[in-house]
Amino acid sequence: MRCFTVLGPSQTGKSTLVEKLGALEGPARKSASPYGLNLIEFEFGKEAWCAIDTPGSGEALAHAQHALLASDACILCVSPNPDEAVLAAPYLRVIEASGTPCILFVNRMDEPRGRLRDVVAALQDYSNHTLILRQIPIREGDKIVGSCDLISERAWRYREGQTSALIEIPKDLIEREHEARAELLEHLSEYDDWLLEELIEDREPASDAVYAISSRVLRENRIVPVLVGAASHSNGIMRLMKALRHDAPKVDVLRKRLSATGSIFESALVGVAFHAYHRQNVGKTVLVRALDDGLKQGALLGGARLGPVQDPATGRPITAAAAATGDVFATVKSDHLIIPSLLSADRSVDAPEWTTPPTPMLERILVPNSERDETKLSETLAKLAETDRGIKVMQEEGTGAQLISAQGPVHLRDIARTLSEVFHVDVTDRPPSPVYRETITRSSDVHYRHRKQTGGAGQFADVKLSVHPNGRGAGFSFAETVKGGAVPRNFIPAVEAGAREAMEKGPLGLRVIDVGVTLTDGQHHSVDSSEFAFRAAGKMGVRDALAQASAVLMQPIFRVEINIPSIYSGSLVPIVSSYKGQVLGFDRDEKAKGWDIFRALIPGSSLDELARALRSATQGIGTFAKTFDHFEELYGKEADAIVSAYAHATEH
Ligand SMILES: Nc1nc2c(ncn2[C@@H]2O[C@H](COP(=O)(O)OP(=O)(O)OP(=O)(O)O)[C@@H](O)[C@H]2O)c(=O)[nH]1
Ligand SMILES: [Mg+2]
């Protein structure tokens, strides 16, 4: 079976395209996974094909990335509007990183909104591969009525809902056709010496030879050919499918590409697990592409036996024949399979780096509506995270509540829906509050005596302590300058332990950071002093000292690395500033053409708003990764509000 992915921005006609491609030679078989990919299996040119239709939302980029892991080639489906080219940037980026041969399909040509050349030029800004026209549109007035193939030099007139009719190249197009063809040949000749020579000698190369070169060039992933059409009118569909049939590499090239990442030998590679989803009463269903013959229920794959194998299109069990190389199948009760992973019979290795989804930006606390579901929620989220690497599951500091990071609001809604429909756990979500700390701004001294007389043995410990601010980030420190054994050596560690305990909750009710404690003097009693007593004295003494040392709220500051197409970099400066952030600067992203990495420091309390502002400023394309950088003092009304909210929350 040959397999390709269709990906691209939202509403560019991917699903329509896949449906039309699948129906070219009779009815296709379709599978819908409740969340994620659609697989369409069909016959074309006496071969079995599987098209993977991916969702267009930027929040679902991970699904497209994983689908590429199982694909011989891909079709990037885009709109004919040059202004929307930037929306394709994330897809060009992952396609390039994955090394998957790609055909660019400019769809919706029935709604022309600009020149095709401008669309291609705008997209070229985001691709290191040359995007090169394989067809040019035939216009009548402002309507596109057909296309002309630049290799065969044949023209086709679109017919509504049918395959196109062969026509003469319109006279007024001949010049443009020659020009575009020359450009195509010139680019191809960069990868073919024979063709180069023909061109230099000014000979007209035969179509067959050019076809062969263009196939090889796509197979080797040198250039990205551009085709055009209108999926909903079935225009350009046959041409596209024929291009795939002739030019897309077969599964052996995918095997080589995957093993070239170095983590697995090509000879050992038998499959790739690329998608999974949960179904009620069925459990985890995993989609696998076989990269070798012989996979069937009970066969070893990834270190354990494969569970029942199903037809991905119908969900019916496949019991008889084993899968052949290239087949895509579904399997259940194969919970050992990790998504995504490369599989040998006895091992499962991590998929290549490029399959890593964008860092999830939307953090939410999930609270089960019914308290009984607390354990179930954490188990279920762990399961979901196994099948969706776009989710990160953590626990909130302090409360231990379930904290998840999702790709965005739509993804979050999908997660909640799966939790409810498949696992029957209903949740409410709320934003997490930043983790605050406090520290002191001046030194203070105390003398604290711990004394208790309860019946028999008493407790006695007397300490003189001073606390002082340590430098930012220096943490806690403890020193002693006790002379003459006023506090016996063996009790000093107990004083330190007490001092550390006092740091857990300072005068503002928060954990105390960056404070130094010095034990300067004290007294002991030969019978009543104990480690316990000195620990208590250390704790209470430090607590009192902190209360007099002008405590101040500390807010977390994060370093964010924002990934954005360069055209947005300028607009980020005012956004970051408006969220009390500090711009550190931006650089070109060496790994992705047309992208910048924008760095800034930003308070934890602004991260959620930054994510939202970034989404709307960049049409959902920009993402950021954050790492904690440092704590910083926060004064004024904002600090007062946080402190009183804390005091209020801990009262109850
Ligand atoms: N005019 C025109 N409309 C089209 C064409 N192809 C698809 N559409 C329409 O565009 C809309 C979106 O089509 P889909 O196929 O669902 O697009 P998609 O890319 O799968 O969308 P998402 O999966 O949501 O990203 C539908 O209303 C289609 O009928 C086309 O070539 N021309
Ligand atoms: Mg779709």
Side-chain angles (χ1 to χ4, degrees), residues 136-175:
I136 52 169
I138 301 174
R139 289 174 195 271
E140 268 174 19
D142 60 359
K143 259 194 92 182
I144 295 198
V145 297
S147 76
C148 179
D149 187 288
L150 298 176
I151 298 182
S152 66
E153 303 201 85
R154 286 194 289 185
W156 307 87
R157 192 180 184 90
Y158 293 148
R159 291 186 301 182
E160 180 66 36
Q162 298 177 46
T163 52
S164 308
L166 189 61
I167 55 165
E168 294 273 305
I169 299 180
K171 295 237 164 4
D172 55 354
L173 197 67
I174 289 175
E175 196 180 321

Side-chain angles (χ1 to χ4, degrees), residues 97-263:
S98 74
T100 311
C102 173
I103 296 179
L104 178 69
F105 187 68
V106 183
N107 191 31
R108 309 186 75 127
M109 287 297 281
D110 55 318
E111 323 173 304
R113 266 168 283 181
R115 293 196 321 169
L116 181 62
R117 269 173 279 184
D118 296 338
V119 180
V120 174
L123 290 163
Q124 187 68 66
D125 286 347
Y126 304 104
S127 175
N128 287 311
H129 283 72
T130 307
L131 312 176
I132 179 79
L133 289 178
R134 270 279 308 265
Q135 297 174 325
I136 52 169
I138 301 174
R139 289 174 195 271
E140 268 174 19
D142 60 359
K143 259 194 92 182
I144 295 198
V145 297
S147 76
C148 179
D149 187 288
L150 298 176
I151 298 182
S152 66
E153 303 201 85
R154 286 194 289 185
W156 307 87
R157 192 180 184 90
Y158 293 148
R159 291 186 301 182
E160 180 66 36
Q162 298 177 46
T163 52
S164 308
L166 189 61
I167 55 165
E168 294 273 305
I169 299 180
K171 295 237 164 4
D172 55 354
L173 197 67
I174 289 175
E175 196 180 321
R176 168 72 190 128
E177 193 273 331
H178 284 321
E179 179 191 296
R181 176 177 158 89
E183 207 177 314
L184 169 68
L185 294 181
E186 198 182 304
H187 280 290
L188 290 177
S189 73
E190 284 174 35
Y191 306 100
D192 194 278
D193 290 343
W194 173 82
L195 182 58
L196 184 63
E197 216 159 285
E198 295 289 290
L199 296 185
I200 291 170
E201 299 291 326
D202 216 12
R203 281 193 292 262
E204 188 62 25
S207 297
D208 283 357
V210 181
Y211 270 124
I213 295 165
S214 94
S215 292
R216 181 173 60 74
V217 162
L218 184 70
R219 206 164 51 236
E220 294 173 357
N221 189 26
R222 306 278 192 186
I223 62 163
V224 173
V226 180
L227 279 77
V228 299
S232 63
H233 300 275
S234 297
N235 297 157
I237 303 302
M238 182 61 98
R239 293 281 104 211
L240 176 62
M241 198 57 221
K242 283 188 173 169
L244 274 171
R245 185 161 90 91
H246 289 295
D247 300 346
K250 301 218 172 135
V251 65
D252 55 310
V253 174
L254 173 66
R255 282 181 59 120
K256 284 209 171 56
R257 185 162 68 242
L258 296 179
S259 59
T261 58
S263 50

Side-chain angles (χ1 to χ4, degrees), residues 294-578:
L295 287 179
K296 59 196 280 193
Q297 179 172 0
L300 260 188
L301 183 67
R305 304 262 164 217
L306 255 186
V309 169
Q310 299 177 342
D311 183 329
T314 61
R316 284 200 206 99
I318 303 175
T319 42
T325 305
D327 285 358
V328 175
F329 62 85
T331 175
V332 291
K333 298 194 173 67
S334 302
D335 289 354
H336 66 288
L337 296 180
I338 293 160
I339 307 305
S341 59
L342 307 183
L343 303 161
S344 70
D346 50 9
R347 249 173 17 116
S348 157
V349 306
D350 288 347
E353 179 69 26
W354 59 259
T355 57
T356 311
T359 314
M361 297 192 292
L362 186 69
E363 290 196 345
R364 283 294 179 272
I365 305 281
L366 296 187
V367 186
N369 293 353
S370 153
E371 259 177 47
R372 281 173 301 141
D373 285 342
E374 259 165 36
T375 336
K376 194 171 168 194
L377 175 62
S378 72
E379 287 167 7
T380 309
L381 286 174
K383 276 191 196 163
L384 282 185
E386 260 176 44
T387 55
D388 183 350
R389 279 203 310 169
I391 306 178
K392 288 240 164 357
V393 182
M394 296 154 287
Q395 247 143 31
E396 189 185 39
E397 189 187 295
T399 65
Q402 284 298 329
L403 174 60
I404 70 160
S405 252
Q407 298 283 317
V410 180
H411 188 211
L412 185 72
R413 255 197 313 277
D414 281 335
I415 294 167
R417 204 186 57 213
T418 309
L419 285 173
S420 169
E421 288 175 5
V422 180
F423 297 99
H424 306 296
V425 182
D426 291 302
V427 294
T428 315
D429 71 270
R430 63 171 168 84
S433 38
V435 177
Y436 292 103
R437 299 280 188 258
E438 59 177 281
T439 192
I440 53 175
T441 52
R442 61 186 192 86
S443 303
S444 90
D445 302 319
V446 289
H447 180 188
Y448 188 87
R449 175 167 289 188
H450 175 76
R451 167 176 236 166
K452 262 191 191 147
Q453 201 66 50
T454 46
Q459 295 177 25
F460 180 87
D462 183 289
V463 290
K464 283 186 179 167
L465 294 158
S466 73
V467 297
H468 60 268
N470 266 351
R472 188 190 281 170
F476 172 83
S477 63
F478 181 84
E480 54 91 9
T481 54
V482 179
K483 293 205 181 59
V487 176
R489 295 271 81 157
N490 54 323
F491 292 143
I492 291 177
V495 177
E496 177 175 350
R500 282 186 190 273
E501 268 175 53
M503 299 297 148
E504 284 165 19
K505 194 169 181 183
L508 304 181
L510 299 158
R511 191 180 294 172
V512 184
I513 54 165
D514 300 342
V515 167
V517 175
T518 311
L519 174 65
T520 51
D521 202 359
Q523 287 176 35
H524 70 286
H525 186 278
S526 57
V527 177
D528 290 345
S529 283
S530 62
E531 280 187 22
F532 179 83
F534 271 100
R535 185 175 177 137
K539 180 174 175 180
M540 299 311 289
V542 170
R543 185 173 289 179
D544 287 356
L546 292 173
Q548 301 159 26
S550 305
V552 60
L553 186 73
M554 300 289 276
Q555 64 166 339
I557 305 292
F558 288 82
R559 176 179 286 265
V560 290
E561 269 199 14
I562 308 175
N563 280 287
I564 27 147
S566 312
I567 53 163
Y568 293 125
S569 291
S571 63
L572 274 193
V573 175
I575 292 178
V576 168
S577 310
S578 73

Side-chain angles (χ1 to χ4, degrees), residues 11 13-16 38 53-56:
Q11 295 291 297
K14 300 177 294 299
S15 301
T16 311
N38 284 326
D53 174 25
T54 61

